[in-house]
Amino acid sequence: MDFANYQYEIYFQGLAGVVPELPANYDDLEARAREELDDGPFGYVAGGASSEDTVAANREAFRRWRIVPRMLVDIDVRDLSTHVLGQDLIAPVALAPVGVQSIVHPEAEVATARAAASVGIPFTLSTVSSKPLEEVAEAAGDGPRWFQLYWPGEVELAASLMRRAKDAGYTAVFVTLDTKMLAWRPRDIDGAYLPFLVGEGLANYTTDPVFTDPLDVSAEDDLQAAVLRWAQVFLNKKATWGDLASLREHTDLPMVLKGVLHPDDARRAADHGMDGIVVSNHGGRQVDGEIASLDALPDVAAAVDGELDILFDSGIRTGADVVKALGLGAKTVLLGRPYVWGLALGGEDGVRHVVRGLLADLDLTMAMSGFTSLDDLEPGILRRI
Ligand code: FNR
């Protein structure tokens, strides 16, 4: 697929006086979102844990690796397709799970799903989405989709959510491990901003029979009681490696552990029969001062030695970032904040523009570096400075 052509679509539209509504550069995109969003939603998306040192580290890590291009390679035909979690993807890019998208756009995950489906890449729906997973699946149609699970305190609830996800056509479960508690996030603290407490982001819970069963009345009639029950079951502080089997037995979908940074944990994921891991620090939103996700990747890749699929997120902003992450051992990357700004500023069209822009940038970066397939991307194409 010729993703690079997107730039000519844009230039030709320019001849008719039409220019893109959103900036192509990430920092400009975030700056525009800063102008248009209220402090609460903007801070929730942009912010991270404590000093936000790890948010910055994620991006600095990419700058320390440089691509060394090769010349006089036939780059006329390029293939960015990959095979991950037993599925064929048109490109090594999917959308990361981002909860409570209604805080930036009323169509929330429905718009995101439509955009992803129109391009043909998977999106990952968060457990704490603003729209029920069935409604989002319907919006995606035949588009590929994955479901992210925040491991709840009640295993029956996990089983029910995963069952619903499978029934609705989601083809993998991503269990997020790095969020057993919510981190100290100064931007949210300063505005006392936590959208879940006013019922935002609870759609998958309030539509779940296992969740609603113990409630005397529906969430519409008593939101406070629903929020209280949610706060009690949302996260599972006690979960350990030994409990993974209990989760595993409730779904036959491929299972991926999201938030792995230590090579020993990556090994344990492989030993526990997981299908994949996401090397991720949650975009620097959980442990301030922790290792940049990219810095963790080489050791993790060495530890699992191809036994499971490695996905990567935290800091992907450009095509070059994707090349670097794949060069260091990832098979596919998840895009996070950039598409959320696209959603905030342009709904479905905004997400599509951001995604198509990233794919064009990736295709061009690979082509002009002399790489025509993802097999070319290995550590030897990079130099650390
Ligand atoms: C997230 N992320 C996240 N992860 C997850 O497993 N479940 C979730 O519900 C959320 N929600 C969420 C909300 C917001 C506003 C952000 C920015 C992030 C983490 C996400 O999946 C991914 O790991 C990071 O976004 C990657 O970092 P960058 O590339 O966005 O900086």
Side-chain angles (χ1 to χ4, degrees):
M1 215 171 286
D2 199 330
F3 298 109
N5 257 341
Y6 188 43
Q7 67 171 338
Y8 292 108
E9 256 180 59
I10 293 171
Y11 292 134
F12 280 119
Q13 283 177 358
L15 296 177
V18 180
V19 297
E21 285 177 20
L22 305 187
N25 170 278
Y26 177 79
D27 291 329
D28 295 341
L29 189 67
E30 182 178 313
R32 180 82 72 80
R34 171 63 294 198
E35 283 166 24
E36 301 206 5
L37 290 174
D38 288 341
D39 289 353
F42 178 79
Y44 185 76
V45 177
S50 201
S51 76
E52 300 187 352
D53 179 45
T54 296
V55 179
N58 280 338
R59 295 198 58 195
E60 284 158 15
F62 280 97
R63 303 202 65 228
R64 288 195 302 272
W65 287 98
R66 301 276 151 177
I67 300 162
V68 187
R70 302 303 304 268
M71 297 299 127
L72 287 179
V73 177
D74 178 352
I75 56 167
D76 190 35
V77 178
R78 303 170 307 276
D79 179 11
L80 269 58
S81 68
T82 187
H83 190 75
V84 70
L85 306 175
Q87 301 159 37
D88 292 322
L89 304 190
I90 59 166
V93 177
L95 301 186
V98 167
V100 72
Q101 295 182 14
S102 58
I103 64 172
V104 301
H105 194 280
E107 288 170 18
E109 296 84 6
V110 163
T112 297
R114 284 201 186 112
S118 71
V119 181
I121 66 160
F123 65 93
T124 319
L125 188 75
S126 167
T127 316
V128 289
S129 57
S130 307
K131 308 276 184 186
L133 64 91
E134 289 84 2
E135 185 183 335
V136 180
E138 205 176 308
D142 293 336
R145 46 188 176 270
W146 297 330
F147 180 70
Q148 176 265 329
L149 182 73
Y150 274 130
W151 192 336
E154 294 173 9
V155 74
E156 299 77 25
L157 181 56
S160 179
L161 288 165
M162 291 191 290
R163 191 163 49 241
R164 288 171 59 196
K166 184 175 179 187
D167 288 348
Y170 294 81
T171 56
V173 173
F174 285 51
V175 184
T176 298
L177 303 185
D178 57 23
T179 309
K180 284 186 156 196
M181 301 168 85
L182 285 185
W184 182 255
R185 296 181 185 158
R187 300 197 208 201
D188 300 343
I189 297 282
D190 288 348
Y193 184 78
L194 191 62
F196 309 106
L197 299 189
V198 291
E200 301 270 352
L202 306 192
N204 288 324
Y205 298 88
T206 54
T207 53
D208 195 287
V210 175
F211 180 84
T212 54
D213 198 42
L215 295 173
D216 294 331
V217 290
S218 72
E220 294 100 77
D221 292 332
D222 188 350
L223 181 63
Q224 249 188 331
V227 170
L228 191 66
R229 171 152 165 69
W230 173 79
Q232 285 160 351
V233 296
F234 171 40
L235 299 170
N236 183 347
K237 288 210 272 287
K238 292 188 174 169
T240 64
W241 289 97
D243 300 316
L244 259 186
S246 69
L247 213 52
R248 193 76 191 91
E249 75 190 25
H250 289 291
T251 186
D252 54 11
L253 290 174
M255 192 169 270
V256 179
L257 300 184
K258 177 171 182 280
V260 172
L261 295 165
H262 197 292
D264 293 351
D265 284 345
R267 270 275 14 121
R268 289 188 102 162
D271 295 343
H272 280 76
M274 294 293 112
D275 300 279
I277 52 174
V278 187
V279 176
S280 164
N281 59 28
H282 213 111
R285 299 165 72 78
Q286 285 299 95
V287 179
D288 192 34
E290 74 184 320
I291 187 169
S293 200
L294 193 75
D295 288 334
L297 182 56
D299 289 346
V300 165
V304 302
D305 195 24
E307 265 182 61
L308 45 66
D309 286 341
I310 299 177
L311 294 89
F312 173 92
D313 77 27
S314 300
I316 296 287
R317 302 290 179 264
T318 65
D321 295 343
V322 182
V323 170
K324 293 173 188 178
L326 266 60
L328 293 177
K331 240 181 157 181
T332 291
V333 303
L334 305 180
L335 186 65
R337 290 181 177 95
Y339 87 82
V340 184
W341 300 136
L343 175 67
L345 297 168
E348 178 186 339
D349 288 343
V351 176
R352 190 164 30 245
H353 179 64
V354 169
V355 170
R356 292 193 71 193
L358 180 79
L359 293 174
D361 190 13
L362 169 62
D363 190 10
L364 289 162
T365 303
M366 281 184 58
M368 285 181 289
S369 305
F371 311 132
T372 55
S373 110
L374 302 184
D375 293 337
D376 294 335
L377 306 182
E378 43 82 32
I381 66 160
L382 303 173
R383 289 288 179 281
R384 195 180 163 93
I385 57 163

